[in-house]
Amino acid sequence: MTLNAELAHRNKPVAVFDSGVGGISVLQHIHALLPHETLHYYADSKHAPYGSKTPAEIEARCFEIADFLIEQGAKVLVVACNTATAAAISAMRAKYTLPIFGMEPAVKPAAAASKNGIVGVLATTGTLKSAQFAGLLESYGRNVKVVTQACAGLVECVERGELHTQNTLKLVEQYCQPLLDEGADTIVLGCTHYPFVRPAIEQVLGNKVVLIDTGAAVATHLQKRLSALNLLSDSQAAGDVRFWTNSCAAEASQVIVQLWGANAEVTHV
Ligand code: DGL
């Protein structure tokens, strides 16, 4: 690459996607840490939730979205979804040449933070059933008791923008109580939708439980890697942020505005 082409490449977008709007919780951390980066976000809301899909179905969705984001000029891809990372990150890395970042439930930091050695993990069925998660438990869950809880229906609440309704609180209670009953003192938010219902989760758990979210760690890792690869934008201006959604719901843009802020620029695809 010539010097000019290299500079132009560095200023291309960091592209982020998820099964829906959940990955916006990761995008917030990326934007806070890397304010000069242009960010593209694709919400595959028409196909949410991924949690109940087969790995092959999720892989096909990831390929389609990656092709779209690469066409928009992505310099790197961030899979802001634990379920999609578990199902498809290896296949994506085999297929594409650009750097691809994924994420997994924060079992390692949770095991280190727990005082009583009992860690709870809230995640989707797909994540909890995956070989990747089994590997995580094998590597970091040996010296603690890990109690897992799949949270059917919670992703859909966030997709509808219902962050603190009676129905959401009821589901949160239903899923957190078993972890409390097992004595978990540290609980991992193992799905990127869940940080958006954190206030509801905190209301149920009280202040004695430590909650661990992976978004900040993903942003820090991304910053380090972009720097090492000489891919950090050299722009001094605030980076543009663009959203695409394929949701059929009339309120889809509204929900993105609710989660990101009034300045969200949303295109329906
Ligand atoms: N937000 C996703 C995750 O982190 C997936 C949720 C879903 O679509 O089931 O796992």
PDB file of all heavy atoms in Angstrom, residues 8-23:
ATOM      1  N   ALA A   8      -5.520   6.535   4.289  1.00  0.00           N
ATOM      2  CA  ALA A   8      -6.958   6.468   3.998  1.00  0.00           C
ATOM      3  C   ALA A   8      -7.565   5.233   4.659  1.00  0.00           C
ATOM      4  O   ALA A   8      -8.656   5.282   5.212  1.00  0.00           O
ATOM      5  CB  ALA A   8      -7.186   6.429   2.493  1.00  0.00           C
ATOM      6  N   HIS A   9      -6.814   4.124   4.644  1.00  0.00           N
ATOM      7  CA  HIS A   9      -7.317   2.877   5.230  1.00  0.00           C
ATOM      8  C   HIS A   9      -7.534   3.029   6.746  1.00  0.00           C
ATOM      9  O   HIS A   9      -8.518   2.544   7.294  1.00  0.00           O
ATOM     10  CB  HIS A   9      -6.346   1.739   4.930  1.00  0.00           C
ATOM     11  CG  HIS A   9      -6.888   0.405   5.337  1.00  0.00           C
ATOM     12  ND1 HIS A   9      -7.969  -0.178   4.707  1.00  0.00           N
ATOM     13  CD2 HIS A   9      -6.528  -0.460   6.329  1.00  0.00           C
ATOM     14  CE1 HIS A   9      -8.241  -1.336   5.292  1.00  0.00           C
ATOM     15  NE2 HIS A   9      -7.382  -1.527   6.279  1.00  0.00           N
ATOM     16  N   ARG A  10      -6.604   3.743   7.393  1.00  0.00           N
ATOM     17  CA  ARG A  10      -6.711   3.931   8.849  1.00  0.00           C
ATOM     18  C   ARG A  10      -7.969   4.696   9.230  1.00  0.00           C
ATOM     19  O   ARG A  10      -8.468   4.562  10.347  1.00  0.00           O
ATOM     20  CB  ARG A  10      -5.485   4.696   9.371  1.00  0.00           C
ATOM     21  CG  ARG A  10      -4.230   3.870   9.341  1.00  0.00           C
ATOM     22  CD  ARG A  10      -3.009   4.699   9.654  1.00  0.00           C
ATOM     23  NE  ARG A  10      -3.151   5.411  10.910  1.00  0.00           N
ATOM     24  CZ  ARG A  10      -2.197   6.151  11.464  1.00  0.00           C
ATOM     25  NH1 ARG A  10      -1.029   6.263  10.854  1.00  0.00           N
ATOM     26  NH2 ARG A  10      -2.371   6.759  12.599  1.00  0.00           N
ATOM     27  N   ASN A  11      -8.449   5.525   8.306  1.00  0.00           N
ATOM     28  CA  ASN A  11      -9.632   6.338   8.626  1.00  0.00           C
ATOM     29  C   ASN A  11     -10.948   5.689   8.201  1.00  0.00           C
ATOM     30  O   ASN A  11     -12.001   6.300   8.279  1.00  0.00           O
ATOM     31  CB  ASN A  11      -9.484   7.737   8.021  1.00  0.00           C
ATOM     32  CG  ASN A  11      -8.381   8.502   8.738  1.00  0.00           C
ATOM     33  OD1 ASN A  11      -8.169   8.299   9.933  1.00  0.00           O
ATOM     34  ND2 ASN A  11      -7.652   9.337   8.024  1.00  0.00           N
ATOM     35  N   LYS A  12     -10.858   4.442   7.793  1.00  0.00           N
ATOM     36  CA  LYS A  12     -12.087   3.711   7.458  1.00  0.00           C
ATOM     37  C   LYS A  12     -12.813   3.282   8.752  1.00  0.00           C
ATOM     38  O   LYS A  12     -12.231   3.310   9.833  1.00  0.00           O
ATOM     39  CB  LYS A  12     -11.732   2.494   6.602  1.00  0.00           C
ATOM     40  CG  LYS A  12     -11.364   2.897   5.178  1.00  0.00           C
ATOM     41  CD  LYS A  12     -11.105   1.687   4.337  1.00  0.00           C
ATOM     42  CE  LYS A  12     -10.949   2.086   2.883  1.00  0.00           C
ATOM     43  NZ  LYS A  12     -10.523   0.935   2.069  1.00  0.00           N
ATOM     44  N   PRO A  13     -14.081   2.868   8.616  1.00  0.00           N
ATOM     45  CA  PRO A  13     -14.854   2.573   9.826  1.00  0.00           C
ATOM     46  C   PRO A  13     -14.468   1.297  10.576  1.00  0.00           C
ATOM     47  O   PRO A  13     -14.028   0.323   9.960  1.00  0.00           O
ATOM     48  CB  PRO A  13     -16.294   2.441   9.308  1.00  0.00           C
ATOM     49  CG  PRO A  13     -16.246   2.563   7.844  1.00  0.00           C
ATOM     50  CD  PRO A  13     -14.872   2.844   7.382  1.00  0.00           C
ATOM     51  N   VAL A  14     -14.674   1.365  11.875  1.00  0.00           N
ATOM     52  CA  VAL A  14     -14.717   0.166  12.709  1.00  0.00           C
ATOM     53  C   VAL A  14     -16.168  -0.300  12.637  1.00  0.00           C
ATOM     54  O   VAL A  14     -17.077   0.472  12.957  1.00  0.00           O
ATOM     55  CB  VAL A  14     -14.356   0.518  14.178  1.00  0.00           C
ATOM     56  CG1 VAL A  14     -14.655  -0.661  15.100  1.00  0.00           C
ATOM     57  CG2 VAL A  14     -12.895   0.948  14.296  1.00  0.00           C
ATOM     58  N   ALA A  15     -16.390  -1.519  12.171  1.00  0.00           N
ATOM     59  CA  ALA A  15     -17.763  -1.996  12.005  1.00  0.00           C
ATOM     60  C   ALA A  15     -18.132  -2.981  13.104  1.00  0.00           C
ATOM     61  O   ALA A  15     -17.362  -3.892  13.420  1.00  0.00           O
ATOM     62  CB  ALA A  15     -17.923  -2.658  10.632  1.00  0.00           C
ATOM     63  N   VAL A  16     -19.294  -2.766  13.678  1.00  0.00           N
ATOM     64  CA  VAL A  16     -19.734  -3.538  14.843  1.00  0.00           C
ATOM     65  C   VAL A  16     -21.106  -4.125  14.522  1.00  0.00           C
ATOM     66  O   VAL A  16     -21.934  -3.441  13.911  1.00  0.00           O
ATOM     67  CB  VAL A  16     -19.852  -2.591  16.070  1.00  0.00           C
ATOM     68  CG1 VAL A  16     -20.263  -3.353  17.317  1.00  0.00           C
ATOM     69  CG2 VAL A  16     -18.542  -1.825  16.300  1.00  0.00           C
ATOM     70  N   PHE A  17     -21.346  -5.380  14.917  1.00  0.00           N
ATOM     71  CA  PHE A  17     -22.708  -5.896  14.721  1.00  0.00           C
ATOM     72  C   PHE A  17     -23.124  -6.854  15.821  1.00  0.00           C
ATOM     73  O   PHE A  17     -22.309  -7.353  16.586  1.00  0.00           O
ATOM     74  CB  PHE A  17     -22.871  -6.544  13.335  1.00  0.00           C
ATOM     75  CG  PHE A  17     -22.220  -7.904  13.199  1.00  0.00           C
ATOM     76  CD1 PHE A  17     -22.948  -9.061  13.461  1.00  0.00           C
ATOM     77  CD2 PHE A  17     -20.915  -8.024  12.792  1.00  0.00           C
ATOM     78  CE1 PHE A  17     -22.369 -10.323  13.322  1.00  0.00           C
ATOM     79  CE2 PHE A  17     -20.317  -9.273  12.652  1.00  0.00           C
ATOM     80  CZ  PHE A  17     -21.050 -10.424  12.921  1.00  0.00           C
ATOM     81  N   ASP A  18     -24.427  -7.067  15.852  1.00  0.00           N
ATOM     82  CA  ASP A  18     -25.029  -7.974  16.834  1.00  0.00           C
ATOM     83  C   ASP A  18     -26.318  -8.517  16.234  1.00  0.00           C
ATOM     84  O   ASP A  18     -26.785  -8.022  15.200  1.00  0.00           O
ATOM     85  CB  ASP A  18     -25.330  -7.193  18.134  1.00  0.00           C
ATOM     86  CG  ASP A  18     -26.025  -8.035  19.190  1.00  0.00           C
ATOM     87  OD1 ASP A  18     -25.667  -9.219  19.344  1.00  0.00           O
ATOM     88  OD2 ASP A  18     -26.936  -7.522  19.870  1.00  0.00           O
ATOM     89  N   SER A  19     -26.920  -9.486  16.905  1.00  0.00           N
ATOM     90  CA  SER A  19     -28.216 -10.017  16.476  1.00  0.00           C
ATOM     91  C   SER A  19     -29.277  -8.922  16.488  1.00  0.00           C
ATOM     92  O   SER A  19     -30.333  -9.091  15.903  1.00  0.00           O
ATOM     93  CB  SER A  19     -28.652 -11.132  17.424  1.00  0.00           C
ATOM     94  OG  SER A  19     -28.847 -10.590  18.722  1.00  0.00           O
ATOM     95  N   GLY A  20     -28.996  -7.854  17.191  1.00  0.00           N
ATOM     96  CA  GLY A  20     -29.974  -6.766  17.277  1.00  0.00           C
ATOM     97  C   GLY A  20     -29.320  -5.542  17.876  1.00  0.00           C
ATOM     98  O   GLY A  20     -28.194  -5.197  17.508  1.00  0.00           O
ATOM     99  N   VAL A  21     -30.014  -4.924  18.837  1.00  0.00           N
ATOM    100  CA  VAL A  21     -29.518  -3.660  19.394  1.00  0.00           C
ATOM    101  C   VAL A  21     -28.574  -3.860  20.579  1.00  0.00           C
ATOM    102  O   VAL A  21     -27.978  -2.898  21.058  1.00  0.00           O
ATOM    103  CB  VAL A  21     -30.702  -2.756  19.815  1.00  0.00           C
ATOM    104  CG1 VAL A  21     -31.501  -2.321  18.601  1.00  0.00           C
ATOM    105  CG2 VAL A  21     -31.614  -3.455  20.827  1.00  0.00           C
ATOM    106  N   GLY A  22     -28.429  -5.101  21.061  1.00  0.00           N
ATOM    107  CA  GLY A  22     -27.631  -5.341  22.260  1.00  0.00           C
ATOM    108  C   GLY A  22     -26.196  -4.852  22.152  1.00  0.00           C
ATOM    109  O   GLY A  22     -25.645  -4.260  23.082  1.00  0.00           O
ATOM    110  N   GLY A  23     -25.593  -5.066  20.983  1.00  0.00           N
ATOM    111  CA  GLY A  23     -24.197  -4.676  20.799  1.00  0.00           C
ATOM    112  C   GLY A  23     -23.964  -3.174  20.915  1.00  0.00           C
ATOM    113  O   GLY A  23     -22.812  -2.725  21.009  1.00  0.00           O
TER     114      GLY A  23
END
